[in-house]
Amino acid sequence: MYHQSENGVYLMSLIVDYIVAMTNLYGFVSKEKAIEIYNMQNDDKLDVSDLDHVLEYHTDDLVSRFAFPEGDYFIHETIYIFDEFGEQLARKQGKPYYIPPKKELLKYKDQYYFERSKEYRALRRYVARHFFKGQEYQAEMLCSDIHIECQSDFKLNDIFYHFERRDIVFDDEKQVGEVIDLVMDLSNNVRLWENNGFTPKELMNKMRKNNPNVVSEMNAERPMGAIKDVSTDRVDWKKIGRNDPCPCGSGKKYKRCCLK
């Protein structure tokens, strides 16, 4: 058996790390898929009995790192606690898995890790320069909050909240538009549970290869977790009047909200 080898302790630890990493990246993963991915990247092969051994002796290790065994799946605590498994399973239906190289995949064993894409770095540079006088740490904290919002079905006022609670004041509507453009770019390039780790942009490109008409088939249910195609559905901030409702969704007039 795999766990009876001389390197048994290390190997069991590695298996646990893989399960935790895949749970953080995908939200949940079936035992079958976990074995498949592990065996793609390692010479020593897993089978079901090895996972049974992990469950017998290392369930506490998994749960302490927010990976909950349930039936044929390992489920992230957030999905497990809020009973969102059925909803997430429906969203994932028929979508392929993003499988990064072993070194990158195992970074996800850290619950706080996420990939700093070029879109994320662009947003961080902008807010550091314009709002924090070059202070990278403050910019990182703001952008990590925004990244978390981009992983859910957020509204623009959810984004503006993180600026407001830091007492950040925008210079003008042009700057508001620049921030929204950067956030939209980021939102289409974050790795999502509902996309099995793919970003909306990656999954769109992948589906386009298989079906050139995929764009016309998309509907308002955000089947790939994307917000809107910012190239065709961006807000024209120059046409917003001072007394118009603020586009952030706060319900206030623009002059009393984001224009400030």
Side-chain angles (χ1 to χ4, degrees):
M1 298 293 291
Y2 190 84
H3 57 267
Q4 293 175 336
S5 67
E6 293 181 1
N7 296 322
V9 174
Y10 167 77
L11 295 175
M12 284 296 107
S13 176
L14 181 61
I15 296 170
V16 169
D17 284 347
Y18 258 91
I19 293 171
V20 170
M22 286 186 279
T23 302
N24 285 335
L25 178 58
Y26 303 132
F28 60 81
V29 63
S30 69
K31 294 178 181 178
E32 180 182 5
K33 179 58 70 172
I35 291 173
E36 176 188 335
I37 293 174
Y38 182 95
N39 288 345
M40 287 172 55
Q41 299 184 342
N42 295 276
D43 293 332
D44 294 306
K45 304 305 180 184
L46 281 185
D47 58 31
V48 175
S49 65
D50 298 309
L51 289 190
D52 289 341
H53 181 86
V54 170
L55 292 174
E56 183 176 358
Y57 294 101
H58 299 279
T59 293
D60 289 345
D61 294 336
L62 292 171
V63 171
S64 69
R65 296 167 68 183
F66 312 107
F68 283 63
E70 181 71 17
D72 292 329
Y73 292 87
F74 299 100
I75 307 173
H76 191 279
E77 181 186 55
T78 301
I79 296 174
Y80 185 85
I81 294 297
F82 291 99
D83 196 25
E84 296 176 344
F85 178 81
E87 177 185 344
Q88 286 288 337
L89 184 63
R91 289 188 173 194
K92 289 169 172 280
Q93 196 68 33
K95 296 177 182 177
Y97 277 78
Y98 165 71
I99 306 175
K102 178 178 180 178
K103 183 177 179 180
E104 175 67 14
L105 176 56
L106 288 176
K107 291 179 181 178
Y108 286 90
K109 68 184 180 181
D110 177 357
Q111 62 172 314
Y112 299 111
Y113 175 76
F114 62 88
E115 184 179 332
R116 268 70 172 177
S117 64
K118 64 182 179 64
E119 291 79 15
Y120 178 89
R121 298 194 302 272
L123 176 63
R124 186 178 58 194
R125 285 194 301 271
Y126 185 95
V127 300
R129 182 171 65 253
H130 291 277
F131 305 126
F132 295 115
K133 298 180 180 179
Q135 298 180 31
E136 290 292 337
Y137 176 77
Q138 296 293 337
E140 177 71 21
M141 292 301 98
L142 171 57
C143 291
S144 63
D145 284 344
I146 293 173
H147 186 277
I148 291 172
E149 295 288 357
C150 288
Q151 292 177 306
S152 62
D153 297 342
F154 72 90
K155 297 179 180 178
L156 285 177
N157 55 322
D158 298 329
I159 299 298
F160 285 122
Y161 163 76
H162 293 289
F163 289 88
E164 181 181 348
R165 72 185 184 89
R166 291 173 169 87
D167 297 321
I168 293 174
V169 178
F170 294 94
D171 291 338
D172 50 34
E173 59 194 55
K174 178 177 180 294
Q175 189 174 71
V176 174
E178 289 171 349
V179 168
I180 288 180
D181 282 346
L182 288 166
V183 170
M184 296 295 243
D185 286 344
L186 173 61
S187 71
N188 284 309
N189 290 278
V190 295
R191 303 208 172 278
L192 301 179
W193 286 352
E194 65 191 78
N195 288 350
N196 290 324
F198 278 107
T199 71
K201 184 175 181 179
E202 288 173 342
L203 191 56
M204 170 70 82
N205 291 336
K206 196 172 185 67
M207 292 181 69
R208 275 184 176 140
K209 290 181 180 179
N210 297 329
N211 180 4
N213 298 318
V214 67
V215 176
S216 63
E217 296 173 1
M218 291 180 62
N219 55 42
E221 296 179 357
R222 295 177 67 222
M224 285 168 285
I227 297 186
K228 298 178 180 179
D229 186 340
V230 298
S231 64
T232 59
D233 196 18
R234 57 178 293 178
V235 177
D236 187 348
W237 286 91
K238 294 181 180 180
K239 295 182 180 179
I240 300 172
R242 290 173 59 82
N243 292 312
D244 291 341
C246 187
C248 77
S250 67
K252 300 178 183 179
K253 291 184 178 180
Y254 182 47
K255 67 181 180 181
R256 299 189 182 280
C257 192
C258 293
L259 182 57
K260 292 184 177 181

